[in-house]
C-alpha cells in the first residue's frame, strides 16, 4: 500500500463548479500535511498547509481528518487557471522530516 | 532570476554513460533534496542534505550518488545510466529556520532520457 494515496483523476469540471479531492495516508504518526500544485511540465509549488481545525484561503478549503487518516481540498468557483495537478504531501515523524508525495490528482477546468 | 536553478534542463544519453545533474540556489537555504518524478508514481526522494557535511539516502538512492559542493550547490550523478532512470528530476531546497523547513522550493526540473 502506498504511504499517500490519491485518486489520479482526471477531474474535468466546468468553470464555476465546486470540486473536491481526497487523499489518504497510511502512517498514523504523520505530523504535517500540505497541498502542492503542479502545472504541466513545471515544478510543484506549495498551495496551502492543512491544519487540524481546517483552513481556508480564498476559494480553497483544506480539511484534515486524523481519525480516518485523510485530507481533502475543496475548490469553489473553479477558474480555468485552476487546471493543474494537485499533490497531497505528508510529513511523518522522525528526524528526517521527509516529505512524502502522493501521485497527484489532475484537474481540468473547462470553459 | 530563479531562486533554484537546474542544469541541464533536458538531456538525452545512452545506456552506460555517466551523467551529472546540477542544482544551484540563491535562497540561502541549508537543506537540499533530489527527487525523481515518474508518471503515476509521484515524486520520490533520491538523496537529501541538511548541510554541506550531511548527505542522506532517500527512498530510491540505488544507482545514484550526490555531492554537496557548497551550501548553494547539490549535484546528482548517475554513474552508469540505465533506461529505467528516464524521468523528470527535481532539485528542492528548504530552510530549517523557517517553520522547521516544512515548505520546499523546487527547481524547474531536468528531463532525462536514457536510450
Amino acid at each position: 500500500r502506498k504511504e499517500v494515496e490519491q485518486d489520479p483523476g482526471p477531474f474535468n469540471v466546468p468553470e464555476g463548479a465546486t470540486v473536491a479531492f481526497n487523499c489518504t495516508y497510511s502512517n498514523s504518526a504523520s505530523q504535517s500535511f500540505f497541498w502542492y500544485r503542479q502545472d504541466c511540465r513545471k515544478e510543484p509549488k506549495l498551495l496551502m498547509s492543512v491544519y487540524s481545525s481546517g483552513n481556508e484561503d480564498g476559494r480553497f478549503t483544506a480539511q484534515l481528518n486524523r481519525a480516518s487518516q485523510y485530507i481533502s481540498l475543496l475548490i469553489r468557483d473553479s477558474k480555468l487557471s485552476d487546471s493543474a495537478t494537485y499533490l497531497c504531501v505528508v510529513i511523518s515523524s522522525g528526524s528526517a522530516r521527509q516529505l512524502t508525495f502522493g501521485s497527484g490528482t489532475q484537474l481540468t477546468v473547462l470553459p | 532570476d530563479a531562486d533554484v536553478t537546474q542544469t541541464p534542463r533536458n538531456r538525452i544519453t545512452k545506456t552506460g554513460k555517466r551523467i551529472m545533474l546540477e542544482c544551484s540556489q540563491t535562497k540561502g537555504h541549508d537543506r537540499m533534496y533530489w527527487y525523481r518524478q515518474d508518471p503515476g508514481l509521484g515524486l520520490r526522494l533520491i538523496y537529501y542534505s541538511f548541510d554541506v557535511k550531511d548527505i542522506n539516502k532517500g527512498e530510491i538512492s540505488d544507482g545514484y550518488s550526490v555531492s554537496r559542493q557548497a551550501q548553494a550547490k547539490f549535484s546528482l550523478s548517475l554513474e552508469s545510466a540505465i533506461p529505467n532512470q528516464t524521468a523528470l528530476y527535481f532539485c528542492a531546497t528548504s530552510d530549517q529556520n523557517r517553520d522547521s523547513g516544512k515548505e520546499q522550493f523546487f527547481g524547474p526540473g531536468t528531463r532525462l532520457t536514457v536510450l
Side-chain angles (χ1 to χ4, degrees):
Chain A
R1 181 185 174 188
K2 290 182 181 177
E3 190 169 338
V4 179
E5 294 206 55
Q6 296 182 247
D7 181 344
F11 285 66
N12 298 317
V13 302
E15 265 188 295
T18 295
V19 61
F21 310 134
N22 286 332
C23 165
T24 58
Y25 60 95
S26 60
N27 187 344
S28 59
S30 297
Q31 295 180 326
S32 303
F33 309 88
F34 309 89
W35 285 101
Y36 275 67
R37 171 191 168 131
Q38 186 175 22
D39 293 314
C40 186
R41 300 182 182 276
K42 300 282 189 179
E43 70 273 23
K45 293 183 180 180
L46 180 65
L47 177 66
M48 59 195 304
S49 300
V50 185
Y51 302 118
S52 296
S53 55
N55 49 297
E56 190 173 305
D57 182 1
R59 299 181 292 107
F60 298 83
T61 300
Q63 298 273 0
L64 167 63
N65 185 319
R66 285 190 184 273
S68 299
Q69 295 183 205
Y70 78 82
I71 68 174
S72 64
L73 177 68
L74 181 77
I75 305 175
R76 290 182 300 278
D77 188 22
S78 300
K79 311 292 184 189
L80 295 177
S81 58
D82 294 333
S83 297
T85 296
Y86 292 83
L87 305 173
C88 173
V89 182
V90 172
I91 296 181
S92 298
S93 61
S95 60
R97 299 188 63 79
Q98 296 175 27
L99 273 63
T100 301
F101 288 79
S103 55
T105 298
Q106 184 181 343
L107 171 67
T108 300
V109 181
L110 304 170
Chain B
D1 288 339
D3 295 319
V4 185
T5 57
Q6 292 183 232
T7 56
R9 294 293 312 279
N10 289 281
R11 182 71 183 268
I12 299 174
T13 190
K14 294 182 179 180
T15 297
K17 293 291 187 181
R18 183 178 187 275
I19 296 295
M20 179 179 285
L21 309 183
E22 301 195 13
C23 176
S24 295
Q25 53 117 344
T26 58
K27 300 184 76 68
H29 288 173
D30 50 348
R31 299 180 174 186
M32 298 187 73
Y33 310 81
W34 275 104
Y35 294 89
R36 65 177 280 176
Q37 187 173 35
D38 300 275
L41 294 178
L43 278 83
R44 292 181 291 166
L45 184 63
I46 304 172
Y47 271 95
Y48 61 100
S49 169
F50 284 177
D51 64 41
V52 174
K53 297 179 181 179
D54 177 79
I55 301 290
N56 304 281
K57 293 182 177 181
E59 178 186 354
I60 52 163
S61 59
D62 288 349
Y64 302 94
S65 62
V66 292
S67 174
R68 185 84 183 264
Q69 302 96 320
Q71 187 191 32
K73 296 184 182 294
F74 193 35
S75 301
L76 176 72
S77 293
L78 289 68
E79 296 300 326
S80 179
I82 56 177
N84 76 1
Q85 291 178 312
T86 293
L88 182 57
Y89 289 83
F90 285 105
C91 173
T93 74
S94 67
D95 180 358
Q96 179 187 4
N97 295 317
R98 176 176 169 176
D99 198 18
S100 300
K102 290 179 181 178
E103 181 179 1
Q104 293 190 3
F105 298 84
F106 287 80
T110 295
R111 187 165 296 278
L112 176 66
T113 302
V114 183
L115 301 177

